[in-house]
Amino acid sequence: MTSARWSAVVLVAATLAPACRNRPPAGGAPSASPGAAAAAAPRPAPRFHRIDVHTHIAPDGIERAVRLMDQWGIDGMVNLSGMHPGPPSNALERQLAAAQEAHGRIAVFTTPDFRLVMRREDYGAAMADQLSEARRMGAIGLKITKGLGLGYRAHDGVHLLAVDDHGLDALFERAGELGMPVAIHCGDPKAFWQPATPQNERWDELQAHPEWSFADAGVPSWQELYDAFDRLIARHPKTTFIGVHFGNDPEDPDTVARMLDKHPNLVIDTAARVPEIGRHPQEKMRRFFTKYQDRVLFGTDTGIGAEQDDMMYGSTGATPPTHADEARFFTQTWRYFETPDRQIESPTPIQGRWKIDGVGLPDDVLRKIYWDNAVRILRWKPTR
Ligand SMILES: [Zn+2]
């Protein structure tokens, strides 16, 4: 229901996974229990300006998106579900028009029409032209979903389109020429390749969404996808890639660090992966964020429809999320980045039954991750 309806609305392609108490007002977040009372209370000005570079907003969800930003201390959002321009759906046109209602607080990324791969011999060029058109209309970036590598068909209609398919080179080159960053989701949590049993650490999610399992799904291994992602970034050095979900490897920050060292054109976002990165030792992650303070963009993977039932806070379970889920999501996210509190509740418990350790980053690093890096990479800043 909720998640199915949600995916249908914004074509999220089942994007997955991402809220203090003891040290409150980090982000204008309420310090007590959530819900209507918190919403009604006057809130202090947030300590930080924030851009959420990773959201999925349905055209009828703009009002709710603005309310959410005001409530939780977020200045602007990037809607990665812009879809593509042109008839019959004119989806990007509708998303851009809807974003205008937020008066400069929502920017839109476009997603390519992967049906062109089977329809056109020169699909890369056709997708590149579509990207130029999207840019002209106002889209500021390109989003590639995990469907690349896991779902979209190659030109022969039989095989899966590879993440580093040469036919797509024209598209990624054009993104570089247009100065449009490419937010790319490749693979998924490693546990989704393990048998979907109660022993699987992502069992709660897999139970709610059996279709998220890639065990015996006839898809490439996690590593094969990641290697292709590595080659893709290397092949387009003039194109900036945003490796979403903590560089697509939140389980292994050492690998992400190596990728960042190797590819100056790669930055990462934190969307839907605070529960995962919060499992690593506090000191290690603080060193990571300090070393790569210019390469990390704050994102949540919040999905926003018109109704509460349509919401997604990093991931979804079997039942629609509640206002308590919303409050936990944002307060624990701020707490993770802004406090050194240990063994705190995860913002998204459906992603695994464990506690996380906050990184307690200094203000100057937080300002880069919450704002400066996004402004530089996106070449956009929200009105505030
Ligand atoms: Zn997403």
Side-chain angles (χ1 to χ4, degrees):
M1 30 175 280
T2 301
S3 57
R5 185 176 166 196
W6 165 246
S7 309
V9 173
V10 295
L11 305 181
V12 178
T15 40
L16 306 173
C20 292
R21 256 185 358 213
N22 300 342
R23 296 202 14 200
S31 56
S33 59
R43 49 199 58 256
R47 272 177 61 214
F48 298 101
H49 287 290
R50 301 185 179 99
I51 297 172
D52 183 343
V53 305
H54 191 137
T55 69
H56 302 280
I57 311 173
D60 57 1
I62 301 294
E63 231 182 274
R64 181 173 282 271
V66 170
R67 273 209 310 276
L68 210 65
M69 283 192 270
D70 290 344
Q71 164 118 30
W72 298 106
I74 297 168
D75 297 270
M77 289 177 164
V78 176
N79 183 5
L80 296 180
S81 291
M83 298 174 275
H84 49 80
S89 65
N90 296 311
L92 177 65
E93 288 88 334
R94 283 189 296 133
Q95 286 289 46
L96 286 165
Q100 298 250 320
E101 294 162 28
H103 305 290
R105 295 180 69 182
I106 297 177
V108 178
F109 272 38
T110 183
T111 39
D113 181 1
F114 275 98
R115 293 171 303 185
L116 291 168
V117 175
M118 282 200 280
R119 291 176 184 167
R120 298 263 304 248
E121 209 56 66
D122 62 341
Y123 55 88
M127 293 162 99
D129 289 345
Q130 197 177 55
L131 184 67
S132 293
E133 176 66 6
R135 167 85 251 194
R136 195 189 58 73
M137 294 167 62
I140 66 163
L142 174 67
K143 169 74 192 298
I144 303 292
T145 74
K146 67 180 179 184
L148 178 60
L150 285 167
Y152 302 133
R153 293 284 149 192
H155 187 63
D156 65 12
V158 179
H159 297 92
L160 284 170
L161 186 63
V163 172
D164 61 337
D165 174 78
H166 275 285
L168 297 173
D169 284 347
L171 172 66
F172 292 113
E173 284 298 304
R174 185 71 59 86
E177 290 161 22
L178 294 169
M180 298 173 82
V182 180
I184 177 165
H185 180 176
C186 177
D188 238 354
K190 289 172 181 170
F192 290 178
W193 272 260
Q194 302 298 319
T197 64
Q199 283 71 46
N200 191 303
E201 66 174 19
R202 292 267 189 159
W203 176 234
D204 290 342
E205 271 181 320
L206 290 168
Q207 242 183 328
H209 312 281
E211 72 280 9
W212 289 0
S213 171
F214 297 118
D216 310 313
V219 299
S221 68
W222 184 94
Q223 191 63 50
E224 285 170 329
L225 293 168
Y226 200 78
D227 291 345
F229 167 60
D230 188 349
R231 292 191 296 269
L232 174 70
I233 301 166
R235 200 189 295 157
H236 304 285
K238 293 185 179 148
T239 303
T240 299
F241 290 87
I242 306 172
V244 303
H245 304 313
F246 207 78
N248 293 305
D249 195 1
E251 294 94 336
D252 187 357
D254 295 334
T255 293
V256 178
R258 278 195 297 275
M259 289 283 281
L260 288 167
D261 292 341
K262 185 173 163 189
H263 304 295
N265 57 324
L266 175 67
V267 295
I268 64 174
D269 84 19
T270 61
R273 294 299 181 267
V274 165
E276 199 64 52
I277 57 180
R279 301 168 87 180
H280 301 298
Q282 185 179 66
E283 277 307 319
K284 176 180 175 145
M285 291 315 295
R286 192 181 291 132
R287 278 198 305 274
F288 182 100
F289 283 112
T290 303
K291 181 167 181 191
Y292 298 104
Q293 57 186 273
D294 297 312
R295 314 280 299 276
V296 182
L297 282 64
F298 168 71
T300 60
D301 216 354
T302 302
I304 307 169
E307 312 288 336
Q308 180 66 32
D309 279 10
D310 300 325
M311 299 298 290
M312 170 179 79
Y313 305 108
S315 184
T316 52
T319 54
T322 64
H323 285 288
D325 293 325
E326 173 188 321
R328 183 186 54 231
F329 182 66
F330 290 102
T331 54
Q332 296 303 101
T333 295
W334 306 150
R335 198 173 177 194
Y336 171 76
F337 287 108
E338 299 169 21
T339 83
D341 298 347
R342 292 177 188 270
Q343 293 302 291
I344 59 176
E345 190 182 14
S346 160
T348 322
I350 184 88
Q351 292 185 315
R353 298 180 190 181
W354 54 76
K355 305 272 190 210
I356 62 171
D357 290 342
V359 280
L361 299 174
D363 286 7
D364 57 330
V365 174
L366 285 167
R367 277 195 286 270
K368 288 181 174 185
I369 290 172
Y370 281 154
W371 181 273
D372 298 348
N373 296 338
V375 170
R376 188 183 77 247
I377 297 293
L378 304 172
R379 305 178 190 190
W380 172 82
K381 72 168 84 154
T383 52
R384 62 183 206 199

